Amino acid sequence: QQQVKQSPQSLIVQKGGISIINCAYENTAFDYFPWYQQFPGKGPALLIAIRPDVSEKKEGRFTISFNKSAKQFSLHIMDSQPGDSATYFCAASNNNNDMRFGAGTRLTVKP
Amino acid sequence: GAVVSQHPSRVICKSGTSVKIECRSLDFQATTMFWYRQFPKQSLMLMATSNEGSKATYEQGVEKDKFLINHASLTLSTLTVTSAHPEDSSFYICSAKRTSGGATDTQYFGPGTRLTVL
């Protein structure tokens, strides 16, 4: 059972544009929602994370928007750069160590 | 910081041999570590949760006798792939959660180990 659904599977954005990746979850017990960035041949690196008590969190060019009632959250990358080209994974977890990952979005930022 | 290392980064072995992969939290203590497997262009699949001083908890479908996990200290967990076969070839990634002193919900990932079984 896929508990976290991520879309799109791949995304191509022009340099300077906004990249938007969406995720939806099913388990209402999830209370922690991180986003990870992964480059080929490397491990995932934590990008930004949010808890359901806030609707938005911004760190530099990266923003998470969270809609608790809809059980959806999204990552926005402003002023996308070619160096942002990577695979992005959303995830959701609760205190019981049960972290579930989305299928991933391969982002390509064209110069 | 929260740095997790893995060793080796790449390993090539013959079918039937065993391979040990180490995962270390370098600047924090980790009561809980996780082992994932990732196939090309796919998401991370949790294999097992490793708790310091106790037996690992394996996900459904993961053979505990095939993938031996030991978490002997608060900074080290090891995964041993026993009698490896070509189908075990994959990218193995560990992660660790802080015991205290920071965000204890966050999983910090190692750089991964590429295993190729000939």
Side-chain angles (χ1 to χ4, degrees):
Chain A
Q1 180 186 10
Q2 187 180 5
Q3 295 195 35
V4 180
K5 295 183 179 180
Q6 183 172 346
S7 64
Q9 188 175 21
S10 62
L11 179 62
I12 300 174
V13 173
Q14 289 294 131
K15 179 183 176 181
I18 302 174
S19 304
I20 302 175
I21 305 171
N22 301 299
C23 283
Y25 62 98
E26 298 171 3
N27 188 346
T28 55
F30 289 142
D31 61 1
Y32 178 69
F33 303 89
W35 284 90
Y36 288 90
Q37 178 190 57
Q38 185 179 30
F39 292 103
K42 305 294 183 183
L46 178 67
L47 202 57
I48 187 172
I50 198 169
R51 294 189 182 280
D53 54 344
V54 295
S55 60
E56 184 174 284
K57 183 175 181 180
K58 182 176 181 179
E59 289 183 2
R61 296 185 294 110
F62 302 94
T63 300
I64 299 179
S65 296
F66 186 82
N67 186 328
K68 186 175 181 179
S69 61
K71 293 188 287 185
Q72 295 176 347
F73 58 109
S74 60
L75 175 69
H76 295 230
I77 305 174
M78 312 299 287
D79 188 25
S80 299
Q81 300 296 313
D84 297 330
S85 297
T87 299
Y88 293 81
F89 292 97
C90 63
S93 74
N94 58 27
N95 286 332
N96 294 326
N97 293 325
D98 188 17
M99 180 171 281
R100 299 298 168 180
F101 287 84
T105 296
R106 179 168 291 193
L107 172 65
T108 302
V109 181
K110 291 195 169 183
Chain B
V3 182
V4 177
S5 71
Q6 274 184 249
H7 178 79
S9 59
R10 306 175 70 100
V11 57
I12 300 173
C13 68
K14 293 182 178 180
S15 183
T17 60
S18 293
V19 175
K20 179 185 284 188
I21 303 170
E22 291 187 350
C23 176
R24 294 182 184 271
S25 55
L26 298 184
D27 53 0
F28 66 98
Q29 292 186 330
T31 304
T32 306
M33 291 184 170
F34 305 84
W35 287 96
Y36 293 84
R37 186 173 180 175
Q38 186 178 35
F39 291 105
K41 299 183 181 181
Q42 293 191 22
S43 188
L44 292 83
M45 184 188 78
L46 179 65
M47 298 175 65
T49 301
S50 167
N51 291 294
E52 186 264 339
S54 63
K55 291 184 178 181
T57 302
Y58 290 82
E59 294 297 299
Q60 190 173 10
V62 178
E63 301 175 59
K64 60 181 65 177
D65 295 331
K66 172 77 172 175
F67 299 98
L68 300 179
I69 292 173
N70 183 274
H71 192 159
S73 77
L74 287 173
T75 59
L76 173 64
S77 177
T78 60
L79 169 68
T80 301
V81 183
T82 62
S83 186
H85 291 282
E87 58 266 29
D88 298 323
S89 299
S90 189
F91 193 50
Y92 292 87
I93 313 173
C94 72
S95 70
K97 291 177 70 172
R98 285 181 181 275
T99 300
S100 62
T104 55
D105 281 351
T106 301
Q107 289 189 27
Y108 298 96
F109 284 85
T113 297
R114 173 75 59 193
L115 170 63
T116 302
V117 185
L118 303 177

